[in-house]
Amino acid sequence: MGGIWALDNLNLLPVVASSNAPIYDELFNVLFVIGIILFVGMTGLVIYSLIRFRKKPGQVGDGIALEDNLPLEIFWTAVPAIVVLFVGLYSYDIYERMGGMQSLSTNSHDHQSMNSEGRVWGGIGLTSQDDIEKNSLPMINVDVTALQFAFLFNYPEGEIVSGELHVPRGQPVSLTMESKDVIHAFWVPEFRLKQDVIPGQPTVINFTPTKTGKYPIICAELCGPYHGGMRSTVVVEEPEEYQAWFKQNSKQKEMEL
Amino acid sequence: MSISLPPATENNSNSLQPTGWLRFISFSLDHKVIGLQYLVCGFIFYLIGGVLAGAIRIELLSPISDFLARDVYNQVLTLHGTIMIFLWIVPVVNGAFGNYLIPFYVGARDMAFPRLNAVAFWMIPPAGLMLITSYFINGAAQSGWTAYPPLSITTPAAGQIVWIVSVLLLGGSSIFGGINFIATILKLRRPGLKLMQLPMYCWAMLGTSILVVLSTPVLAGTLILLSFDIVAHTGFFNPALGGNVIVYQHLFWFYSHPAVYIMVLPAFGLVSEILPVHCRKPLFGYITMVYSIMAIVVLGLVVWAHHMFTSGTPPWMRLFFTIATSFIAVPTGIKFFNWVATLWGGRITLNSAILFSCGFIVNFVLGGITGVALAQVPFDIHVHDTYFVVAHFHYIVYGGSVFVIFSSIYHWYPKFTGKMLDEKLGIIHFVLTFIGFNLCFAPQHWLGLNGMPRRVAEYDPQFTLINQISSVGALLMAISTLPFLWNILYSFIKGEKAGNNPWQALTPEWLTTSPPPVENWSGEAPLVTKPYGYGEKNSDEGSSPITQA
């Protein structure tokens, strides 16, 4: 009961701002309820036993000589096994819905050519293939370079290099990331997604933003003295605003044309 | 089978050893002295590591980097992690209690290799001193206790190299200890004592030592390669020279995940010794407990990549390690249910030892639940490398192992010294530690879920209040060590005399004087076939669990 109250009334998670986030929150809620039941149950048993079976004044002698009980032990082997199996299958389903099982070649499209020499790992966050087809909007590809202590976002189509990530609401985005120096990590809590940015090996992360606003991009891997300050912003805009930003910043290229 | 015991008089080496307090600062070969050396040495490092934790909590009182210089902050968090793991928990739950108790439990007069045992201990103080003094000379390592390259290659080399040498020494010490425990448990049992009659701590130490011997050499090899990258500019892990940084992570976690079990399995064993004594009941489900330990050992070796879910691991690997990790919850769960069943129907004395053990159960259950959650790739991808993980592993290693260390000190102090600890101070210590610990770490789950990464000196100002609450908890934890220290020192001088067996325990270390003689028993070692033979039916004299051989 307390757990369900907590889920409803405490802000346990940040704002939902990507198509990935509600799926994550669904998993979180299930794990949270199971966890609360187990924790309260075990704690209750311990406290109850300590009170009920405490040695009262004047009592002498031992407790009952109970050494084992096979049915009971089978029961509490089977119950956790079933719970764990359920959690595992359920989280596999969630993982698949988050796009974790999709082969990366479809994810990174023409980006593959850029990284032809190496394998590309990562790639969660595209949600399901259905979403993309329903959407039928083209994927926005952005190359991310991480370095001590900043993220740089390069839009190959507009030849834009930006310190902020601008993305339109509702359109899938694919980031191909590589680090210039040490390992960093790209994390947007509101998207519920994180991917390490590794030197010498590109990694991919995808997301479809669903809510306009400015969200922090946080480096989550210790990367040096200014690790705590290595932050940027992802600006999720309405498509028109995004187009305006894109045009304004890629103007130079248009003039050349 | 087991070899016969040498007669007590053959321990000539011991007669050349210093006596009195000098034993404790000498190259003593007595397993009991070595055990206490580990314990006291570990506790000193715990206090140092605690001061470093305090510095971190002070820095995090405000969202800006203001208390420590940024590189110093990274040195402090690196030293805090390294000290607490390699100089406090691992040496104490293995070295201290293992050395003190295992020879008693197997009915031996000492460990299998007493000199190796002393060498293993005496590698620890220099390694620890080196690690700490590196801070004052050229600055300590600042790439975290994980020392991920390329950061560990690009940060100042001197501190990192000292860190590597120090961890290599500590790992070597741990391997020596592990070999010694395996040999002692398997080959030094007194005649007539069967494996399935051993107290549970022996099984825990057997399992732990297998993990130590199998996985620590991998860490050593990895760190040697890393040191080549730093001093000789080789390219094993340096992408600029064609190396691969992910390979380091696999090798590192191949040791460092089992290291978690090296810290908690002995604690599981110690709790299994403490609960039956103060509940006056047999340990519930001995056989399933043994199999659970062995299952944890096997599974513990194949779960390491759950630390690397965001490192660019392919999907099949993510799934394999999710499943393997989740299933560790089953044998671990069995152990916790068995402990609760041990409490059930007992006649429990509510003393400090039992309170710390029950505190351990409650804390560890929470840490275990968040652990199963973290094993799920989609869950982990959001909270990996955040304060959620910080909270999780402190629930495991502090709420788990450190609570058990305190419980064990309350339980075995009368054995070590012949004096009782003060119960009132013990309960004050427990209440302060339990409240302080939960106040410090429970809110950190929320911090991680909402966007605070770990290992940062500055953070989003919206997290200020929760960080301050967490720091208040840390302050309570610091205060809680005062009644404990006072209790330990005061009771040593003026404590109530304990007698030989104040708890009326049945395990063999209590069937001798407190403190025990150098030979452990004045006569032959007792054959204890039922170390948990408590319970009403044993009150009639006919069925004593101890058979004198």
Side-chain angles (χ1 to χ4, degrees):
Chain A
M1 287 297 107
I4 290 158
W5 176 86
L7 273 181
D8 289 344
N9 292 284
L10 299 175
N11 291 322
L12 292 174
L13 286 162
V15 176
V16 167
S18 80
S19 60
N20 189 64
I23 308 175
Y24 181 92
D25 292 6
E26 197 186 311
L27 172 69
F28 177 84
N29 291 349
V30 169
L31 291 178
F32 189 80
V33 170
I34 294 174
I36 287 286
I37 291 169
L38 286 174
F39 178 69
V40 171
M42 282 296 276
T43 308
L45 274 175
V46 169
I47 294 172
Y48 177 80
S49 308
L50 284 181
I51 295 170
R52 162 105 191 267
F53 301 112
R54 74 183 186 284
K55 191 175 185 174
K56 286 146 198 120
Q59 276 183 333
V60 280
D62 286 358
I64 50 174
L66 177 68
E67 281 183 7
D68 49 16
N69 181 328
L70 194 62
L72 207 55
E73 284 171 78
I74 291 173
F75 171 74
W76 63 50
T77 308
V79 168
I82 292 166
V83 171
V84 161
L85 206 62
F86 164 75
V87 168
L89 288 173
Y90 181 65
S91 85
Y92 174 81
D93 179 55
I94 294 280
Y95 186 55
E96 200 168 27
R97 282 163 65 194
M98 286 180 174
M101 294 308 289
Q102 285 172 46
S103 72
L104 284 162
S105 49
T106 60
N107 283 357
S108 37
H109 294 290
D110 45 336
H111 262 58
Q112 277 301 32
S113 54
M114 188 192 91
N115 314 304
S116 53
E117 26 153 347
R119 296 172 301 179
V120 184
W121 295 128
I124 198 173
L126 204 56
T127 67
S128 66
Q129 203 66 42
D130 301 350
D131 276 16
I132 306 160
E133 275 153 23
K134 255 186 273 162
N135 239 317
S136 74
L137 285 166
M139 175 110 73
I140 297 176
N141 291 305
V142 183
D143 293 331
V144 181
T145 307
L147 64 166
Q148 286 170 325
F149 298 91
F151 293 101
L152 291 177
F153 302 96
N154 175 21
Y155 295 70
E157 282 161 48
E159 278 185 21
I160 301 169
V161 178
S162 166
E164 269 184 349
L165 180 60
H166 283 252
V167 288
R169 186 177 59 81
Q171 195 170 347
V173 180
S174 179
L175 306 182
T176 304
M177 308 189 286
E178 198 160 351
S179 168
K180 283 267 186 244
D181 36 49
V182 300
I183 304 172
H184 303 277
F186 174 96
W187 178 33
V188 180
E190 286 76 6
F191 293 174
R192 315 281 193 273
L193 284 171
K194 182 184 295 111
Q195 173 61 54
D196 286 5
V197 189
I198 300 165
Q201 180 178 322
T203 51
V204 168
I205 196 165
N206 308 297
F207 56 88
T208 308
T210 53
K211 188 173 164 52
T212 54
K214 287 185 173 188
Y215 309 108
I217 296 170
I218 300 164
C219 174
E221 183 71 57
L222 179 64
C223 61
Y226 289 83
H227 166 52
M230 183 168 166
R231 299 165 76 95
S232 179
T233 309
V234 51
V235 184
V236 180
E237 300 161 310
E238 290 299 340
E240 308 82 61
E241 290 172 63
Y242 169 75
Q243 287 306 331
W245 174 85
F246 192 85
K247 279 219 181 73
Q248 195 191 350
N249 285 277
S250 56
K251 214 177 234 168
Q252 219 170 354
K253 193 190 168 194
E254 275 177 25
M255 273 156 65
E256 277 168 29
L257 287 168
Chain B
M1 289 299 286
S2 37
I3 43 172
S4 60
L5 280 170
T9 45
E10 231 180 63
N11 275 346
N12 285 331
S13 51
N14 278 341
S15 59
L16 296 174
Q17 299 277 318
T19 50
W21 64 272
L22 269 175
R23 284 178 297 165
F24 294 97
I25 51 167
S26 72
F27 193 79
S28 174
L29 303 183
D30 182 344
H31 70 99
K32 299 178 288 299
V33 174
I34 296 175
L36 292 175
Q37 284 173 330
Y38 268 108
L39 185 59
V40 173
C41 174
F43 194 78
I44 292 167
F45 284 117
Y46 169 65
L47 294 179
I48 297 170
V51 169
L52 297 171
I56 293 172
R57 287 314 324 168
I58 293 170
E59 171 68 69
L60 293 176
L61 279 172
S62 69
I64 51 165
S65 172
D66 49 5
F67 177 65
L68 299 168
R70 289 164 193 275
D71 57 335
V72 173
Y73 181 80
N74 286 357
Q75 293 175 28
V76 165
L77 69 86
T78 304
L79 284 180
H80 166 73
T82 313
I83 288 173
M84 291 304 204
I85 293 166
F86 293 109
L87 290 160
W88 158 237
I89 297 179
V90 170
V92 169
V93 293
N94 292 277
F97 294 105
N99 275 303
Y100 202 98
L101 297 173
I102 294 292
F104 282 110
Y105 285 174
V106 300
R109 303 212 184 269
D110 209 315
M111 295 286 286
F113 312 115
R115 279 173 193 83
L116 185 68
N117 203 14
V119 170
F121 169 73
W122 283 107
M123 286 163 84
I124 290 177
L129 285 177
M130 209 161 75
L131 189 69
I132 290 160
T133 43
S134 74
Y135 171 79
F136 299 99
I137 298 166
N138 262 323
Q142 45 180 296
S143 54
W145 85 278
T146 48
Y148 276 8
L151 184 64
S152 51
I153 300 174
T154 52
T155 46
Q160 197 64 51
I161 288 294
V162 173
W163 182 88
I164 289 173
V165 175
S166 164
V167 172
L168 285 176
L169 277 174
L170 296 167
S173 157
S174 184
I175 294 171
F176 291 169
I179 293 168
N180 219 340
F181 288 127
I182 293 174
T184 308
I185 294 166
L186 294 182
K187 302 310 277 184
L188 234 55
R189 267 172 294 131
R190 89 182 291 302
L193 186 61
K194 297 190 181 70
L195 276 175
M196 290 308 266
Q197 295 167 339
L198 288 173
M200 193 54 59
Y201 183 59
C202 292
W203 283 104
M205 283 308 297
L206 188 62
T208 308
S209 301
I210 292 170
L211 284 177
V212 165
V213 171
L214 285 180
S215 63
T216 318
V218 177
L219 176 74
T222 313
L223 293 182
I224 289 168
L225 294 184
L226 182 66
S227 68
F228 287 164
D229 277 9
I230 296 169
V231 294
H233 306 290
T234 53
F236 295 107
F237 308 123
N238 189 349
L241 298 169
N244 188 323
V245 295
I246 303 301
V247 172
Y248 174 88
Q249 298 184 8
H250 279 294
L251 293 170
F252 177 83
W253 289 113
F254 185 79
Y255 165 77
S256 295
H257 193 78
V260 178
Y261 299 101
I262 293 168
M263 290 187 272
V264 300
L265 276 180
F268 288 179
L270 292 167
V271 167
S272 304
E273 301 307 330
I274 295 165
L275 287 181
V277 175
H278 300 280
C279 298
R280 314 306 305 166
K281 258 197 76 201
L283 180 67
F284 191 89
Y286 180 94
I287 296 167
T288 45
M289 294 291 248
V290 171
Y291 284 116
S292 302
I293 289 173
M294 291 307 158
I296 293 172
V297 169
V298 173
L299 285 172
L301 283 169
V302 293
V303 298
W304 74 89
H306 65 225
H307 296 270
M308 301 166 55
F309 283 156
T310 68
S311 299
T313 33
W316 69 265
M317 201 187 273
R318 284 173 160 176
L319 282 175
F320 173 80
F321 284 101
T322 289
I323 294 161
T325 309
S326 303
F327 268 95
I328 282 201
V330 177
T332 313
I334 292 171
K335 295 190 76 72
F336 280 81
F337 287 122
N338 280 349
W339 286 322
V340 173
T342 305
L343 294 174
W344 195 268
R347 194 152 285 172
I348 306 168
T349 312
L350 281 177
N351 55 24
S352 320
I354 207 93
L355 286 174
F356 268 105
S357 278
C358 291
F360 148 80
I361 295 177
V362 170
N363 294 333
F364 197 97
V365 165
L366 185 55
I369 289 166
T370 54
V372 173
L374 284 168
Q376 313 306 317
V377 179
F379 183 86
D380 181 68
I381 278 180
H382 173 50
V383 291
H384 176 78
D385 263 328
T386 68
Y387 259 85
F388 190 90
V389 175
V390 174
H392 158 72
F393 70 70
H394 280 96
Y395 268 87
I396 298 294
V397 292
Y398 195 102
S401 303
V402 178
F403 268 65
V404 172
I405 292 172
F406 284 129
S407 179
S408 305
I409 292 173
Y410 285 102
H411 181 73
W412 279 291
Y413 188 85
K415 177 48 57 187
F416 299 157
T417 63
K419 303 281 178 63
M420 298 299 285
L421 283 170
D422 185 81
E423 268 305 316
K424 275 204 190 93
L425 285 172
I427 286 166
I428 293 171
H429 174 213
F430 169 76
V431 170
L432 281 174
T433 310
F434 190 79
I435 294 173
F437 168 76
N438 280 291
L439 196 61
C440 182
F441 292 105
Q444 294 182 0
H445 292 109
W446 184 87
L447 287 175
L449 285 167
N450 281 276
M452 181 162 164
R454 65 191 280 205
R455 295 167 164 171
V456 291
E458 55 210 300
Y459 54 85
D460 192 321
Q462 61 160 319
F463 301 134
T464 312
L465 177 67
I466 301 294
N467 270 295
Q468 287 169 346
I469 291 172
S470 186
S471 294
V472 171
L475 179 66
L476 281 181
M477 287 164 80
I479 293 170
S480 79
T481 51
L482 297 177
F484 174 73
L485 272 175
W486 172 252
N487 201 353
I488 292 288
L489 298 174
Y490 182 82
S491 302
F492 187 70
I493 302 160
K494 295 215 162 162
E496 189 191 326
K497 285 235 171 8
N500 289 339
N501 191 356
W503 315 123
Q504 277 109 50
L506 297 176
T507 39
E509 82 275 25
W510 295 103
L511 307 177
T512 179
T513 54
S514 297
V518 177
E519 302 83 10
N520 291 352
W521 295 276
S522 46
E524 215 173 329
L527 176 64
V528 180
T529 54
K530 279 190 159 185
Y532 308 115
Y534 306 99
E536 283 301 338
K537 73 176 173 205
N538 288 317
S539 54
D540 27 295
E541 281 160 44
S543 60
S544 166
I546 306 146
T547 24
Q548 285 289 343

